[in-house]
């Protein structure tokens, strides 16, 4: 029996990593919540099993979680549990990596600074650096977050932290890069009522996982996972086409008074923009995946059209400062993509309008965004915030 210790038990992990691992058999998972006790309490009350409501396929009971630890309750217990894990994985979203606009670990970030100064770690990065410095057997650290080079970035952040903390990591550790995909909306009361499980997770039938073949030890026999030597082309395809289109629909769709992805993709103004955005993003991809672009774009349109998922645009709109660099900015630097430029303009307009209405943005950089939106040149200041000052002429034009 192998063991995974997983940081971040939001709906995505419960619909993706845990579903695949349940299918594989022979492994169990210990979860770690970095902040709240809600998910631990809810799952503990039902023996850590929950319903995965797979749209169009029915309900699947997932029974692979063994325990959930809440890090602030007892950081030492988390460090002890990490020792027993063969694989340490994470879905903490982009902001859980505490990177600056250049992709380096932000040592001035209050949570990272507290981990460097404090007693027990509070962040994924702090936990990994402390654990790996004390570990003697090989470890695989698997990022399942939506970022280009997610494994490389995690490794760089952990290395930077270890250096700043004076920790030496001497054991063999690998950080495979991975592309993860499954559209997983937040759970609603309707989903809970329908399944009868307060911890139910709604998701689509489609799922995809491409992982760099770089494990330091054993791994589950995950079904349908593609192991490759280079994940980047797959990651770029997914981030620039799926997530790029998602963020475009979110910012432009909210501005048009829409609520859900299936409404945005049916909107007469947005639909052509979305198809163009995917085709234009597709042209910036590496040659090795170019031939997949048309079929992938068609499949994405069908996934977006799914009316039963009820995927909220405001869920996708959150954390824009973390998402915009991978979803729009990099694409615009790599090729001509006017529809993607519309997406970036829509994010800027969204920030200005939300701040103008006195709303607090759901974004780790909410305060910086508010300051930028109120400045003399909001477009310029917001682009600066996402490391994209060079795109100012394109966006203004
Ligand atoms: C979405 C993603 O919330 C968002 O920003 O774009 O969570 C998206 O649903 C997943 O990446 C699909 O795999």
């Amino acid at each position: 029996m192998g063991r995974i210790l997983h940081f971040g038990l939001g709906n995505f992990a419960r619909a993706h990593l845990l579903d695949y691992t349940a299918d594989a058999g022979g492994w169990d998972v210990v979860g770690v919540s970095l902040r709240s006790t809600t998910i631990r309490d809810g799952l503990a009350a039902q023996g850590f099993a929950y319903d995965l409501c797979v749209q169009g396929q029915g309900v699947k009971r997932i029974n692979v979680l063994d325990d959930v630890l809440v890090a602030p309750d007892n950081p030492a217990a988390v460090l002890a549990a990490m020792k027993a894990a063969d694989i340490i994985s994470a879905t903490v979203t982009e902001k859980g990596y505490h990177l600056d606009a250049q992709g380096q670990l932000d040592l001035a970030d209050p949570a990272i600074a507290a981990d460097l100064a404090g007693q027990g770690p509070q962040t994924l990065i702090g936990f990994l650096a402390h654990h790996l410095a004390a570990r003697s057997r090989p470890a695989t650290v698997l990022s399942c977050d939506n970022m280009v080079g997610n494994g490389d970035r995690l490794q760089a952040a952990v290395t930077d932290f270890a250096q700043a903390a004076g920790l030496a990591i001497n054991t063999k550790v690998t950080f495979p890069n991975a592309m993860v995909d499954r559209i997983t909306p937040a759970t609603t009361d309707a989903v809970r009522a329908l399944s009868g499980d307060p911890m139910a997770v709604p998701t689509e039938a489609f799922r995809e996982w491409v992982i760099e073949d770089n494990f330091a030890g054993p791994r589950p026999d995950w079904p349908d996972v593609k192991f490759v030597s280079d994940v980047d082309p797959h990651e770029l395809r997914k981030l620039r086409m799926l997530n790029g289109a998602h963020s475009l629909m979110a910012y432009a769709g909210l501005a048009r008074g829409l609520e859900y992805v299936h409404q945005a993709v049916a909107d007469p103004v947005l639909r052509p923009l979305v198809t163009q955005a995917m085709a234009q993003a597709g042209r910036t991809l590496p040659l090795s995946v170019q031939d997949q672009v048309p079929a992938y774009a068609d499949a994405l349109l069908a996934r977006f059209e799914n009316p039963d998922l009820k995927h909220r645009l405001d869920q996708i709109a959150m954390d824009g400062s973390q998402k915009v660099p991978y979803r729009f900015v990099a694409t615009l630097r790599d090729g001509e993509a006017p529809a993607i430029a519309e997406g970036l303009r829509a994010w800027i307009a969204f920030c200005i309008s939300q701040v103008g209405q006195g709303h607090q943005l759901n974004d780790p950089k909410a305060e910086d965004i508010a300051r930028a939106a109120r400045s003399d040149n909001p477009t310029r200041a917001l682009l600066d915030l996402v490391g994209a000052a060079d795109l100012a002429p394109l966006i203004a034009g």
Side-chain angles (χ1 to χ4, degrees):
M1 174 75 102
R3 169 159 286 194
I4 297 175
L5 182 126
H6 183 79
F7 283 86
L9 282 172
N11 275 12
F12 180 73
R14 285 187 278 150
H16 196 266
L17 173 95
L18 296 197
D19 183 32
Y20 274 102
T21 306
D23 284 351
W27 282 64
D28 65 16
V29 182
V30 170
V32 177
S33 277
L34 280 171
R35 273 184 299 271
S36 122
T37 56
T38 319
I39 291 177
R40 190 265 320 267
D41 295 347
L43 288 171
Q46 47 195 55
F48 301 104
Y50 61 93
D51 282 354
L52 187 64
C53 305
V54 185
Q55 203 268 312
Q57 290 184 356
V59 172
K60 192 169 166 187
R61 191 80 179 157
I62 305 292
N63 214 334
V64 73
L65 257 181
D66 203 41
D67 197 3
V68 177
L69 308 172
V70 176
D73 280 2
N74 191 349
V78 174
L79 287 167
M82 290 173 89
K83 279 195 195 145
D86 304 285
I87 296 175
I88 300 168
S89 54
T91 46
V92 292
T93 77
E94 300 90 338
K95 60 180 176 257
Y97 293 72
H98 305 280
L99 304 175
D100 61 21
Q102 282 67 48
Q104 310 286 328
L105 180 67
D106 184 359
L107 294 173
D109 178 291
I112 293 295
D115 269 12
L116 285 169
Q119 324 257 302
Q122 296 172 34
T123 67
L124 168 70
I125 309 299
F127 273 112
L128 281 171
H130 280 282
H131 165 64
L132 293 173
R135 186 173 174 120
S136 49
R137 66 193 180 98
T140 303
V141 180
L142 181 59
S143 167
C144 303
D145 280 300
N146 248 336
M147 297 185 301
V148 182
N150 51 8
D152 295 341
R153 277 168 198 264
L154 183 52
Q155 178 167 28
V158 171
T159 308
D160 286 353
F161 184 98
Q163 202 168 28
L167 296 165
I169 298 175
N170 294 317
T171 191
K172 177 177 161 82
V173 193
T174 63
F175 291 78
N177 291 301
M179 180 273 252
V180 292
D181 188 10
R182 191 167 214 180
I183 296 176
T184 307
T187 305
T188 58
D189 287 342
V191 170
R192 288 185 199 99
L194 206 66
S195 77
D197 175 1
M199 299 306 290
V201 175
T203 195
E204 62 176 343
F206 181 91
R207 62 177 191 180
E208 189 177 7
W209 202 0
V210 184
I211 312 178
E212 186 184 353
D213 199 356
N214 183 22
F215 283 70
R219 67 177 187 227
D221 195 7
W222 289 308
D224 311 321
V225 171
K226 217 190 250 170
F227 293 97
V228 300
S229 57
D230 182 9
V231 171
D232 261 19
H234 302 276
E235 183 68 9
L236 290 170
R237 161 174 63 84
K238 193 256 168 172
L239 273 168
R240 292 188 179 181
M241 292 181 65
L242 187 160
N243 298 109
H246 252 176
S247 290
L248 166 64
M249 286 189 279
Y251 300 120
L254 288 169
R256 293 176 63 72
L258 305 172
E259 207 177 342
Y260 296 110
V261 170
H262 68 272
Q263 295 171 335
V265 76
D267 181 87
V269 173
L270 295 185
R271 190 179 178 88
L273 202 57
V274 169
T275 22
Q276 286 158 23
M278 291 195 289
Q280 291 163 5
R283 285 200 281 277
T284 71
L285 297 177
L287 273 179
S288 61
V289 290
Q290 282 286 333
D291 59 338
Q292 299 173 26
V293 167
Y296 188 58
D298 286 348
L300 287 178
L301 272 184
R303 290 169 67 193
F304 297 156
E305 282 163 354
N306 183 345
D308 300 318
L309 267 184
K310 299 243 164 27
H311 195 193
R312 296 186 61 86
L313 297 173
D314 56 10
Q315 183 185 342
I316 300 170
M318 62 187 257
D319 291 351
S321 68
Q322 312 293 299
K323 295 172 176 175
V324 156
Y326 303 103
R327 298 179 181 202
F328 298 149
V329 173
T331 316
L332 290 169
R333 289 208 180 106
D334 279 358
E336 197 142 314
I340 298 288
E342 278 306 309
L344 187 51
R345 286 190 199 102
W347 174 67
I348 292 169
F350 171 80
C351 294
I352 295 172
S353 131
Q354 292 291 308
V355 170
Q357 293 171 60
H359 296 155
Q360 163 91 3
L361 277 169
N362 200 339
D363 191 300
K365 292 257 169 75
E367 282 173 26
D368 297 326
I369 291 175
R371 213 170 303 121
R374 289 200 198 96
S375 69
D376 294 344
N377 190 343
T379 298
R380 181 64 201 229
L382 286 164
L383 287 173
D384 243 346
L385 245 175
V386 290
D390 57 309
L391 297 181
L394 177 87
I395 294 305

